[in-house]
Each structure stands twice: as C-alpha cells, then as structure tokens.
Amino acid sequence: MLNFEFKNPTKILFGKGEIAKISTEVPKDAKVLMIYGGGSIKKNGVYNQVKEALKDHDLHEFGGIPANPEYEVLIDALKFIKENNITYLLAVGGGSVIDGVKFLSAAANYEGEPWEILTKPVRTFEGEGMPFGTILTLPATGSEMNSGYVISRRKTNEKLSSGGPGLFPQFSVLDPEVIRSIPKNQIANGIADAYTHVLEQYMTAPSSADLQERIAESILISLQNAAPKVMSEEFDYDAAGNFMWCCTMALNGLIQKGVITDWAVHAMGHELTAYYGIDHARTLAVITPSHYRYNFETKKGKLAQYAERVWGITEGNVEEKAEKAILKMEEFFQSLNIKTKLSDYTQNFNGTAERIEKAFTERNWSGLGENKNLSPKDAFKIVEMSY
Ligand code: NZQ
Ligand code: ZN
C-alpha cells in the first residue's frame, strides 16, 4: 500500500427532511448567495425548502448555471458576489452547480484573472476559498464531498478541471427524496458517472490495498443492485438512498488512498463534451471499453479480479475473464440505455482522435494513466477505437 494522507472535512446530512437543518449550518451573520441551475429546483419544491430554512438569513440568489458550468455565466455570478459583498455560497443542484460554486469560491479569493486558476501549470487553488455548503439534487459526480471541479468555456471549446484543499464544501445535504423528479436519462448518467469514478481508481494493477479494493468492488455491486430500481418508474426510497450514497463514496477520496489511479478516461471524455456537448457520463461509457482494450496487458489482472468478485465469473484463464469483464461492463452501461460508441452520438466523429491528440500535445499532457506513460498518440488510438 502506498503512503497517504486523508482529510475530508465535509459534514454530510443524509436523509429525508434534512434540508431544513441548513438553518443552523449556514452562519447566522452571513450574507448568503444561493446558486442554482436552470430551474428544476423551483418545480420539485427544493427551492421552497431552502427559502423556508433560510428565512431568517440575509439570502440572495443567482440562477441559470447551465449543465457543464459555463465560465462566462460564472463571471456574471462573480460580479454579483463582489458587488453585493456576499460572504457565503450555497449550491443547490447537481455537479454542474456545485462545481460552479467551487470555482466561484476560489475566484472570490483570487487576485489574478479567474481563468488562470484552471490553466496555470499547477492547476490547483492553493488558498482558502469563500466558505460554501451544498444541497445535492442529482447524485452522480461526488462533487458534494470532494474539492475538485470542472468548468467549460464554450467560446474556446475547452473543459478544464481544477481543485484544492480549501475547496471542500463545509456541509452537503443528501436527501434521497430529490431523486423523484430527476429524468431517467440523468439518473442513468449519475449511475454511469459514479461507476466510472470507481473504475478510474480501481482498474489499474492488482494492489495490496485490500480494503480499498473491496470497498471499490462493493460500491460497484451496490450501484448495479440499485440501478434497475432507481431506473424504474416507481420511486424506491431505499434504492434512491443507496444510489446517492454510492455516488458520494465513489469520489470523496477514500478509495483512491494508498493505490495508483488512472483518470485517463475522464481526460479524453471531457474533450468529447467540449467538442460535441455529449453528457459527461456518456463520454465515459464511450471511452472506457476502448481504453481497457488498448491497455489490456497492464489492466488484465484487475479486469479478471473485477470479473470474479463483481460479476461472479469463475470460468476461464485471466485473459478470458478480463475480456468477459469488459463485455459485462459494456452491457451494464447499455442496460441504462447508454450507448458505448462515439458514432452513436455524433456523425462528425472523423478527426476527433487527431483533435484530442493535438489538444493534449499543446497542453503537454504526455503522462496519462496510472503508469503516467500514455502519450497523446496513445489517446489518439484509444479515441479512434471508440468510433
Ligand atoms: O439545471 P437544472 O434545472 O437544475 O437541471 C439539471 C440539469 O439539466 C437536472 N437536474 C438536477 N437535479 C435535478 C434535475 N432535474 C430534475 N430533478 C432534479 N432533482 O439535471 C441536469 C444535469 O445536471 P448536472 O448538474 O449538469 O449533472 P451532473 O451532476 O451529472 O454534473 C455534471 C458536471 O459535473 C462534472 C462534469 O464534467 C459536468 O460538468 N464533474 C464533476 C466532478 C467533480 N466535481 O468531482 C467529477 C465528474 O467526473 C465530472 O467531471
Ligand atoms: Zn465523472
């Protein structure tokens, strides 16, 4: 097991009715800005619950953060924060709203041009951000309990990530009731995103970190168990709760401790969203099978372990089990009505691999993957296999 440090300061308030408790979590003397997306919170009652809970606070609001949070919109929010001397941010939404708030938290306490936080050679915000809490409305990203975020800039077709130890939410409310109003395609996205988060931290080489590996496998199995229940028309509170907690646990830092991690699938997937606007989770379902086939030799041991422990496949040698594992994973994505080829999403896919190779070369991203040895040329080949 590798050496590690682990600190996650986010307080979780899990369960039905917990939104009301933000009245005591948000400091009484704060000037609060509630930030939300395109308006789903006004239809499902979450907006009213927040207004009621904070009725004795100095509460302001800024809506309209789009999916794949847009830099230009966030710059408008930043102006609002500065002009109104806001001291506390409250994200009410999915990963896009929470990520947008993390960027604002950093940008509010940053002296230079805000875009630099995402483009500087070390893409980390070193300081302490403006304090913020979150009310999660869409389980998927884990952003509610980590300190990373991803921002898009449509003008330049860029989608870049950053983060920093001073950007954890102070608290996050996880009320499974919010899942009632989520469209099924977004629930599918949430399952596939969280599933891939586990894979990015697990599907490397077999390690000696037995507990982390078994927690990762348990999250995968729990997501598989919850999937048909949360995809069905009938609302199942316990399945919703399991799904929600799996998504948080998949990317709150725990399972990556003491092990090597990959994240090349996300790096390539973010480009597909930047070029074609494909939902984040769907880009992962497109890239992951090709990535595992291309890197079969280095990943086959763990793929076979996943086949055995997660899917109960006991027949065959390591290679045969590993091949079956990739097929089972593809079938799982497809069971969520998520397609696994780039050509399922765009007819303009020719040239995508070249474009990604060029973008990675320009950014000097030459050491992707768990062994930090995948070059932009390797990314080209993986993306081309996913057409
Ligand atoms: O904008 P509103 O009206 O709220 O509608 C949203 C949006 O259209 C809707 N929605 C959310 N909660 C709902 C709901 N609709 C009905 N009922 C509810 N309860 O769902 C749509 C998608 O929301 P979004 O926040 O964009 O989805 P998601 O949570 O999947 O976030 C995706 C973003 O997170 C980034 C992605 O790249 C993408 O930009 N990621 C962030 C990560 C992190 N911070 O750790 C890691 C991930 O790998 C990912 O990259
Ligand atoms: Zn993701």
Side-chain angles (χ1 to χ4, degrees):
M1 208 184 327
L2 305 173
N3 291 11
F4 65 86
E5 292 182 5
F6 185 44
K7 179 177 179 185
N8 189 318
T10 303
K11 175 174 178 180
I12 296 294
L13 297 110
F14 181 94
K16 202 172 185 160
E18 293 288 311
I19 294 174
K21 288 197 189 152
I22 62 171
S23 60
T24 51
E25 296 297 330
V26 178
K28 283 275 183 283
D29 57 351
K31 202 163 183 192
V32 188
L33 184 63
M34 173 196 344
I35 298 172
Y36 54 92
S40 67
I41 63 163
K42 292 201 170 157
K43 292 189 200 124
N44 62 13
V46 172
Y47 176 85
N48 287 342
Q49 289 183 62
V50 174
K51 292 282 273 193
E52 174 60 26
L54 297 184
K55 61 178 187 298
D56 296 328
H57 282 72
D58 184 3
L59 182 64
H60 303 254
E61 57 183 88
F62 188 99
I65 307 294
N68 304 308
E70 168 59 37
Y71 181 68
E72 307 295 340
V73 178
L74 293 167
I75 290 301
D76 288 342
L78 185 61
K79 271 193 211 128
F80 187 98
I81 289 167
K82 294 203 163 156
E83 283 169 12
N84 294 282
N85 301 316
I86 297 296
T87 62
Y88 199 97
L89 305 175
L90 181 65
V92 188
S96 293
V97 171
I98 299 175
D99 281 12
V101 165
K102 286 181 183 169
F103 169 74
L104 291 170
S105 162
N109 289 354
Y110 184 73
E111 293 298 326
E113 159 73 24
W115 189 243
E116 283 173 14
I117 309 173
L118 292 137
T119 51
K120 270 181 151 180
V122 179
R123 293 177 309 132
T124 305
F125 176 72
E126 300 291 353
E128 212 36 62
M130 179 176 283
F132 68 97
T134 89
I135 294 170
L136 180 67
T137 66
L138 173 53
T141 64
S143 191
E144 65 279 6
M145 200 179 176
N146 68 40
S147 61
Y149 62 94
V150 194
I151 302 299
S152 295
R153 200 171 190 180
R154 277 137 179 103
K155 199 170 73 181
T156 52
N157 286 126
E158 285 171 289
K159 182 170 182 181
L160 298 176
S161 56
S162 185
L167 296 175
F168 280 94
Q170 288 193 335
F171 68 84
S172 284
V173 181
L174 277 59
D175 179 348
E177 287 288 329
V178 301
I179 292 167
R180 283 181 189 275
S181 63
I182 304 175
K184 294 296 171 209
N185 67 323
Q186 292 295 349
I187 293 197
N189 284 349
I191 298 166
D193 192 21
Y195 199 87
T196 314
H197 292 161
V198 178
L199 293 177
E200 293 269 37
Q201 301 164 90
Y202 169 86
M203 204 63 81
T204 54
S207 81
S208 58
D210 191 48
L211 180 62
Q212 285 90 318
E213 291 195 354
R214 288 184 187 276
I215 295 174
E217 288 154 358
S218 297
I219 298 171
L220 295 173
I221 293 168
S222 299
L223 281 168
Q224 288 166 200
N225 289 345
K229 297 178 193 157
V230 288
M231 289 295 285
S232 106
E233 286 311 315
E234 206 172 317
F235 180 72
D236 176 335
Y237 177 85
D238 290 318
N242 282 317
F243 163 46
M244 197 169 216
W245 188 226
C246 281
C247 293
T248 303
M249 289 298 288
L251 197 50
N252 66 358
L254 181 64
I255 62 171
Q256 73 184 21
K257 295 302 164 192
V259 298
I260 51 172
T261 59
D262 185 338
W263 295 110
V265 170
H266 271 68
M268 290 179 263
H270 285 169
E271 296 301 305
L272 300 182
T273 302
Y275 305 161
Y276 307 117
I278 304 169
D279 289 352
H280 169 65
R282 287 165 206 259
T283 68
L284 307 176
V286 165
I287 299 288
T288 309
S290 307
H291 183 58
Y292 292 172
R293 291 195 171 102
Y294 184 79
N295 294 292
F296 192 77
E297 278 310 307
T298 53
K299 290 186 185 286
K300 67 184 181 187
K302 206 61 168 289
L303 279 163
Q305 180 178 317
Y306 161 75
E308 279 174 31
R309 293 196 193 166
V310 175
W311 291 108
I313 295 167
T314 50
E315 304 265 295
N317 60 27
V318 168
E319 282 78 11
E320 285 162 345
K321 283 183 198 157
E323 275 165 22
K324 278 192 197 148
I326 302 175
L327 292 175
K328 288 299 274 182
M329 184 191 72
E330 281 177 309
E331 274 172 30
F332 179 61
F333 289 137
Q334 285 156 5
S335 76
L336 304 167
N337 295 321
I338 291 185
K339 304 229 164 63
T340 52
K341 286 284 172 197
L342 184 57
S343 50
D344 293 321
Y345 297 93
T346 172
Q347 287 316 302
N348 298 327
F349 53 83
N350 282 326
T352 308
E354 286 86 346
R355 202 170 164 187
I356 291 183
E357 182 187 355
K358 185 165 173 279
F360 286 7
T361 304
E362 283 168 4
R363 291 181 209 145
N364 287 319
W365 287 8
S366 52
L368 291 178
E370 67 269 24
N371 296 315
K372 307 210 181 320
N373 61 357
L374 294 181
S375 66
K377 194 72 198 167
D378 293 309
F380 170 93
K381 290 181 189 154
I382 293 164
V383 174
E384 202 178 37
M385 281 167 69
S386 73
Y387 286 180

